[in-house]
């Protein structure tokens, strides 16, 4: 796990290099329309409503567009989340610890991609975005270790 947190925003050359590489790829995807999986919907219609995500640091820049969910879509997602929550609870605490460890590992592995998204979606600076990602990893690992 990296040492970059809000108390230490110092980035290494490797951090800058890795972030720049991911940012170049991410910037090519800016402005893409994302079709959410919705309940009972076929192709997107002309009158479909879209949610537009803009870069807070540059409000003219569209980060992405998403199909606006309707009430049925949201209701189904809530039902799915409640079911998933029960399923996860039924796994038992040891399996949940494994999931937490895997989550921390996946976030760490993809930290530069996540940081790039935070830069555009939340207006974070490079240092802030990487610090935020690293704090997520540290938090998950801390809770996992406490449960062990």
């Amino acid at each position: 796990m990296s040492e970059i947190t809000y108390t230490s925003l110092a980035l290494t050359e490797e951090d800058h290099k890795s972030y720049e590489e991911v940012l170049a790829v991410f910037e090519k995807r800016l402005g893409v329309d994302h079709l959410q999986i919705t309940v009972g919907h076929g192709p997107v219609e002309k009158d479909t409503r879209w949610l537009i995500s803009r870069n807070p640091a540059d409000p003219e820049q569209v980060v992405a567009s998403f199909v606006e969910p309707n009430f049925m879509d949201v209701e189904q997602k809530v039902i799915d989340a409640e079911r998933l929550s029960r399923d996860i609870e039924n796994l038992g605490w040891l399996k949940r610890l494994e999931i937490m460890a895997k989550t921390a590992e996946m976030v760490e592995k993809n930290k530069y991609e996540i940081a790039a998204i935070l830069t555009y979606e939340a207006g974070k600076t490079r240092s802030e975005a990487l610090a935020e990602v690293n704090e997520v990893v540290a938090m998950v690992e801390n809770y996992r270790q406490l449960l062990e």
Side-chain angles (χ1 to χ4, degrees):
M1 184 177 66
S2 179
E3 299 300 317
I4 305 165
T5 65
Y6 275 107
T7 58
S8 166
L9 293 175
L11 299 179
T12 66
E13 282 304 313
E14 179 61 31
D15 288 325
H16 286 293
K17 181 178 180 279
S18 297
Y19 180 87
E20 287 295 329
E21 288 171 1
V22 167
L23 201 60
V25 173
F26 184 77
E27 286 174 342
K28 292 177 185 172
R29 298 190 330 235
L30 287 173
V32 171
D33 292 342
H34 296 277
L35 306 176
Q36 293 175 318
I37 299 172
T38 55
V39 179
H41 288 266
V44 175
E45 304 293 331
K46 275 187 171 182
D47 62 343
T48 296
R49 293 177 52 149
W50 292 85
L51 299 173
I52 309 300
S53 173
R54 296 182 183 279
N55 180 346
D58 179 7
E60 295 297 314
Q61 184 178 53
V62 173
V63 176
S65 302
F66 301 87
V67 172
E68 185 175 298
N70 62 32
F71 177 80
M72 285 179 25
D73 298 330
V74 174
E75 186 69 21
Q76 185 60 52
K77 298 298 181 194
V78 169
I79 291 167
D80 293 346
E82 289 170 343
R83 185 179 325 117
L84 181 60
S85 177
R86 286 190 302 275
D87 291 347
I88 290 172
E89 186 176 334
N90 291 333
L91 290 174
W93 71 276
L94 286 174
K95 185 65 176 171
R96 289 195 304 268
L97 285 178
E98 280 180 41
I99 292 169
M100 290 175 77
K102 184 67 174 172
T103 299
E105 179 185 313
M106 291 173 67
V107 171
E108 177 69 26
K109 180 181 174 193
N110 295 291
K111 69 181 176 182
Y112 297 106
E113 290 87 347
I114 297 167
I117 293 167
L118 287 171
T119 297
Y120 282 97
E121 287 280 347
K124 302 278 183 183
T125 66
R126 176 181 310 208
S127 296
E128 290 171 335
L130 284 167
E132 194 127 333
V133 173
N134 288 326
E135 285 187 352
V136 167
V137 173
M139 180 188 69
V140 172
E141 276 298 311
N142 185 47
Y143 283 127
R144 186 186 64 76
Q145 289 171 7
L146 285 172
L147 289 172
E148 280 184 322

PDB file of all heavy atoms in Angstrom, residues 36 38-43 70 72-73:
ATOM      1  N   GLN A  36     -27.250   2.486 -19.181  1.00  0.00           N
ATOM      2  CA  GLN A  36     -27.419   1.673 -17.983  1.00  0.00           C
ATOM      3  C   GLN A  36     -28.307   0.482 -18.312  1.00  0.00           C
ATOM      4  O   GLN A  36     -29.151   0.541 -19.200  1.00  0.00           O
ATOM      5  CB  GLN A  36     -28.077   2.484 -16.878  1.00  0.00           C
ATOM      6  CG  GLN A  36     -27.207   3.598 -16.372  1.00  0.00           C
ATOM      7  CD  GLN A  36     -27.934   4.446 -15.366  1.00  0.00           C
ATOM      8  OE1 GLN A  36     -29.097   4.767 -15.552  1.00  0.00           O
ATOM      9  NE2 GLN A  36     -27.255   4.816 -14.297  1.00  0.00           N
ATOM     10  N   THR A  38     -31.383  -1.234 -17.674  1.00  0.00           N
ATOM     11  CA  THR A  38     -32.627  -0.800 -17.060  1.00  0.00           C
ATOM     12  C   THR A  38     -33.666  -1.902 -17.165  1.00  0.00           C
ATOM     13  O   THR A  38     -33.558  -2.812 -17.977  1.00  0.00           O
ATOM     14  CB  THR A  38     -33.157   0.489 -17.729  1.00  0.00           C
ATOM     15  OG1 THR A  38     -33.272   0.265 -19.126  1.00  0.00           O
ATOM     16  CG2 THR A  38     -32.210   1.643 -17.477  1.00  0.00           C
ATOM     17  N   VAL A  39     -34.678  -1.819 -16.345  1.00  0.00           N
ATOM     18  CA  VAL A  39     -35.723  -2.822 -16.285  1.00  0.00           C
ATOM     19  C   VAL A  39     -36.680  -2.645 -17.458  1.00  0.00           C
ATOM     20  O   VAL A  39     -37.260  -1.582 -17.631  1.00  0.00           O
ATOM     21  CB  VAL A  39     -36.508  -2.703 -14.955  1.00  0.00           C
ATOM     22  CG1 VAL A  39     -37.619  -3.725 -14.891  1.00  0.00           C
ATOM     23  CG2 VAL A  39     -35.563  -2.837 -13.791  1.00  0.00           C
ATOM     24  N   GLY A  40     -36.811  -3.674 -18.275  1.00  0.00           N
ATOM     25  CA  GLY A  40     -37.806  -3.681 -19.339  1.00  0.00           C
ATOM     26  C   GLY A  40     -37.610  -2.647 -20.426  1.00  0.00           C
ATOM     27  O   GLY A  40     -38.567  -2.212 -21.051  1.00  0.00           O
ATOM     28  N   HIS A  41     -36.391  -2.214 -20.655  1.00  0.00           N
ATOM     29  CA  HIS A  41     -36.149  -1.213 -21.683  1.00  0.00           C
ATOM     30  C   HIS A  41     -35.376  -1.819 -22.840  1.00  0.00           C
ATOM     31  O   HIS A  41     -34.465  -2.599 -22.638  1.00  0.00           O
ATOM     32  CB  HIS A  41     -35.348  -0.027 -21.121  1.00  0.00           C
ATOM     33  CG  HIS A  41     -36.153   0.832 -20.213  1.00  0.00           C
ATOM     34  ND1 HIS A  41     -36.802   1.946 -20.638  1.00  0.00           N
ATOM     35  CD2 HIS A  41     -36.437   0.716 -18.904  1.00  0.00           C
ATOM     36  CE1 HIS A  41     -37.443   2.496 -19.623  1.00  0.00           C
ATOM     37  NE2 HIS A  41     -37.229   1.756 -18.560  1.00  0.00           N
ATOM     38  N   GLY A  42     -35.742  -1.435 -24.016  1.00  0.00           N
ATOM     39  CA  GLY A  42     -35.002  -1.846 -25.193  1.00  0.00           C
ATOM     40  C   GLY A  42     -34.035  -0.750 -25.573  1.00  0.00           C
ATOM     41  O   GLY A  42     -33.419  -0.131 -24.712  1.00  0.00           O
ATOM     42  N   PRO A  43     -33.936  -0.480 -26.862  1.00  0.00           N
ATOM     43  CA  PRO A  43     -33.017   0.567 -27.327  1.00  0.00           C
ATOM     44  C   PRO A  43     -33.394   1.941 -26.770  1.00  0.00           C
ATOM     45  O   PRO A  43     -34.532   2.195 -26.427  1.00  0.00           O
ATOM     46  CB  PRO A  43     -33.193   0.547 -28.852  1.00  0.00           C
ATOM     47  CG  PRO A  43     -33.964  -0.673 -29.167  1.00  0.00           C
ATOM     48  CD  PRO A  43     -34.658  -1.120 -27.922  1.00  0.00           C
ATOM     49  N   ASN A  70     -35.688   5.372 -14.510  1.00  0.00           N
ATOM     50  CA  ASN A  70     -37.037   5.735 -14.090  1.00  0.00           C
ATOM     51  C   ASN A  70     -37.317   5.085 -12.737  1.00  0.00           C
ATOM     52  O   ASN A  70     -36.468   4.404 -12.164  1.00  0.00           O
ATOM     53  CB  ASN A  70     -38.073   5.316 -15.147  1.00  0.00           C
ATOM     54  CG  ASN A  70     -38.097   3.817 -15.373  1.00  0.00           C
ATOM     55  OD1 ASN A  70     -37.849   3.022 -14.460  1.00  0.00           O
ATOM     56  ND2 ASN A  70     -38.390   3.406 -16.589  1.00  0.00           N
ATOM     57  N   MET A  72     -39.162   2.546 -11.845  1.00  0.00           N
ATOM     58  CA  MET A  72     -39.058   1.079 -11.844  1.00  0.00           C
ATOM     59  C   MET A  72     -37.601   0.628 -11.808  1.00  0.00           C
ATOM     60  O   MET A  72     -37.261  -0.353 -11.147  1.00  0.00           O
ATOM     61  CB  MET A  72     -39.762   0.488 -13.068  1.00  0.00           C
ATOM     62  CG  MET A  72     -41.263   0.488 -12.976  1.00  0.00           C
ATOM     63  SD  MET A  72     -42.122  -0.193 -14.432  1.00  0.00           S
ATOM     64  CE  MET A  72     -40.960  -1.279 -15.186  1.00  0.00           C
ATOM     65  N   ASP A  73     -36.752   1.312 -12.542  1.00  0.00           N
ATOM     66  CA  ASP A  73     -35.329   0.975 -12.545  1.00  0.00           C
ATOM     67  C   ASP A  73     -34.738   1.092 -11.138  1.00  0.00           C
ATOM     68  O   ASP A  73     -34.044   0.189 -10.669  1.00  0.00           O
ATOM     69  CB  ASP A  73     -34.549   1.908 -13.474  1.00  0.00           C
ATOM     70  CG  ASP A  73     -34.974   1.812 -14.925  1.00  0.00           C
ATOM     71  OD1 ASP A  73     -35.412   0.735 -15.354  1.00  0.00           O
ATOM     72  OD2 ASP A  73     -34.855   2.840 -15.620  1.00  0.00           O
TER      73      ASP A  73
END
